[in-house]
Amino acid sequence: MLEQQFIPKACNNLLESGSFTWSSPSNIALVKYWGKREHQIPENPSVSFTLDACKTTTTLSFSKKSNQDEFSFDVFLDGKQQDDFKPKIETFFKRIESYLPFLKDYYFKIETANTFPHSSGIASSASGMSALALCLMSIEKELDSDIPEEFFIQKASFLARLGSGSACRSLKGDLVVWGKHEEIDESSDLFGVKYPFEVHENFKNFHDTILLVDKGEKQVSSTVGHNLMYNHPFAKERFKQAHKNLSELINVFKVGDLKTFINIVESEALTLHAMMMTSMPYFILMKPNTLEIINKIWAFRKETGTHVCFTLDAGANVHVLYPENEAEQVYEFIKNELVAYCQNGHYICDRIGFGAKQL
Ligand code: DP6
């Protein structure tokens, strides 16, 4: 599928005003996206679990304006005007204008709220950009009611990607693939797709407890990090490795092989951070407590034979992943031994979810 297919046919019957509300989740990558080309095209395919508790709800109100010279919008987070969000949204609007030609016809009021605290170190760009993309697609659907459900989600994912790459994995499905992979016919660099193959019971209802080790603002933005993969000495091998890891996960998901799952997921997390540590300039996002937690998880897993493992985002927080049938035992361990390493003892209990909802 080509970008051109997302350019709508001309439509003159603009709505005067209206409003739409969507709630969209965050996601946690198992095979990581780190490195992109122009136009938000990923250097390698990635796959993620959709989360259920970490969500953004966005209401987009729109009213027709007389001049069509520029974008006009205001953003509110939890009811408070948030001008520092505007440059990111302006860039997003510029990138998607040719796919949504009505953007300059309206003044938009964007009211957004996250279920997780803004200062939790959890990136809200995946849930935020996907929720906004869905609201915009709801306007397009009003203008062209023939848009099929599948295309609606696909284009929402396509648009969300142009806001923030990982956001395109937050639309629909519990496991989502983004980026062309030779064994997954449906996969695309342009949007995320629901993982199309068999998934064993072991991965149903998987848990993710997010340990908030450092709630500060990110020291290095993902965009800067992605750019450091240009001319990175290990980039080529890393991109190859992501393809191989996703290939292996296909069988892991099918047969429920938790041991191999752990090996791949933890290796992906550490490789992501290894790329940061070996870029020029280099940087470290893990904190001492990130390592304490990782070592505790390894010791607990060895001692109990449970299948708890960790993954990391571009930050110091640790996502503790574990299957439903071990949830009680692992949760006790988290409360008794890991929460002490969290900033102010804060953590978030999440699990696999199924995607966005219109409210
Ligand atoms: C480490 O999607 O935040 O979370 O496309 O520049 O907005 P931009 O980057 P972003 O990168 C996320 C990187 C990651 C890994 C992942 O989610 O796959």
Side-chain angles (χ1 to χ4, degrees):
M1 195 170 218
L2 298 170
E3 279 95 336
Q4 278 75 356
Q5 310 204 23
F6 294 110
I7 298 176
K9 41 188 195 288
C11 172
N12 298 319
N13 58 342
L14 278 185
L15 295 166
E16 275 305 312
S17 63
S19 111
F20 292 104
T21 303
W22 280 87
S23 159
S24 190
S26 188
N27 66 73
I28 179 69
L30 305 170
V31 172
K32 307 289 182 183
Y33 147 57
W34 198 245
K36 60 179 166 186
R37 294 195 283 273
E38 244 198 312
H39 308 301
Q40 297 280 102
I41 298 300
E43 289 281 11
N44 63 260
S46 56
V47 63
S48 55
F49 275 150
T50 305
L51 297 179
D52 190 47
C54 291
K55 284 188 173 134
T56 298
T57 299
T58 297
T59 297
L60 181 70
S61 312
F62 54 98
S63 48
K64 222 164 153 186
K65 62 182 173 66
S66 47
N67 99 30
Q68 277 112 46
D69 299 343
E70 52 190 30
F71 301 117
S72 169
F73 62 95
D74 288 301
V75 196
F76 297 81
L77 175 67
D78 299 325
K80 261 183 54 199
Q81 191 145 358
Q82 204 77 37
D83 286 343
D84 51 331
F85 284 12
K86 287 185 88 170
K88 195 156 186 186
I89 294 178
E90 178 94 21
T91 304
F92 177 47
F93 280 178
K94 276 187 197 141
R95 286 183 189 158
I96 63 174
E97 193 187 359
S98 52
Y99 306 105
L100 297 176
F102 58 78
L103 281 180
K104 281 186 178 154
D105 293 316
Y106 291 113
Y107 161 75
F108 295 104
K109 184 176 183 192
I110 305 165
E111 292 168 284
T112 183
N114 297 323
T115 55
F116 49 91
H118 179 54
S119 59
S120 59
I122 297 187
S124 56
S125 61
S127 50
M129 286 298 176
S130 52
L132 183 54
L134 284 159
C135 291
L136 292 166
M137 278 310 293
S138 287
I139 302 180
E140 176 161 309
K141 181 141 176 88
E142 283 293 312
L143 304 175
D144 176 5
S145 53
D146 293 339
I147 293 178
E149 161 76 15
E150 202 187 321
F151 180 82
F152 182 98
I153 293 293
Q154 203 169 70
K155 182 162 173 185
S157 174
F158 171 86
L159 297 173
R161 184 195 98 243
L162 293 167
S164 178
S166 56
C168 78
R169 298 188 310 238
S170 276
L171 282 295
K172 195 177 179 182
D174 46 359
L175 260 177
V176 179
V177 178
W178 168 42
K180 192 66 200 156
H181 186 274
E182 64 169 2
E183 287 164 66
I184 307 175
D185 288 346
E186 307 70 350
S187 63
S188 168
D189 284 344
L190 300 181
F191 46 80
V193 296
K194 189 173 158 33
Y195 176 75
F197 305 131
E198 203 182 327
V199 179
H200 191 275
E201 263 316 289
N202 284 352
F203 297 104
K204 300 276 155 75
N205 244 329
F206 227 72
H207 290 249
D208 177 4
T209 300
I210 309 163
L211 303 177
L212 306 178
V213 171
D214 182 22
K215 301 197 272 173
E217 284 284 308
K218 280 197 208 171
Q219 300 153 357
V220 181
S221 78
S222 316
T223 299
V224 171
H226 286 291
N227 284 338
L228 293 174
M229 290 303 280
Y230 284 111
N231 300 321
H232 190 294
F234 308 132
K236 220 171 124 207
E237 283 306 308
R238 158 60 199 153
F239 302 144
K240 246 167 62 190
Q241 178 199 43
H243 281 269
K244 184 169 152 280
N245 282 342
L246 185 47
S247 287
E248 280 183 32
L249 276 181
I250 294 173
N251 190 51
V252 164
F253 287 138
K254 184 171 169 204
V255 302
D257 180 353
L258 289 166
K259 275 213 169 96
T260 310
F261 175 80
I262 291 170
N263 289 340
I264 293 172
V265 167
E266 291 190 346
S267 162
E268 275 288 323
L270 294 178
T271 301
L272 168 70
H273 283 254
M275 290 301 110
M276 301 171 188
M277 289 192 249
T278 50
S279 61
M280 193 56 80
Y282 43 81
F283 56 103
I284 301 181
L285 296 184
M286 288 188 277
K287 297 279 182 202
N289 281 352
T290 311
L291 295 179
E292 293 286 353
I293 290 168
I294 291 174
N295 280 310
K296 284 267 178 187
I297 290 174
W298 284 344
F300 177 80
R301 193 162 75 216
K302 197 162 174 206
E303 191 185 299
T304 58
T306 50
H307 300 88
V308 55
C309 70
F310 71 87
T311 189
L312 306 167
D313 256 340
N317 296 336
V318 182
H319 288 249
V320 187
L321 302 175
Y322 47 103
E324 168 79 357
N325 66 350
E326 295 172 3
E328 232 173 277
Q329 190 184 0
V330 174
Y331 187 54
E332 276 305 300
F333 157 67
I334 291 174
K335 278 193 305 190
N336 297 336
E337 295 197 45
L338 301 186
V339 167
Y341 297 104
C342 299
Q343 207 177 344
N344 308 322
H346 287 168
Y347 64 98
I348 297 173
C349 287
D350 212 327
R351 58 167 72 204
I352 289 195
F354 295 91
K357 274 197 200 81
Q358 186 165 16
L359 303 178

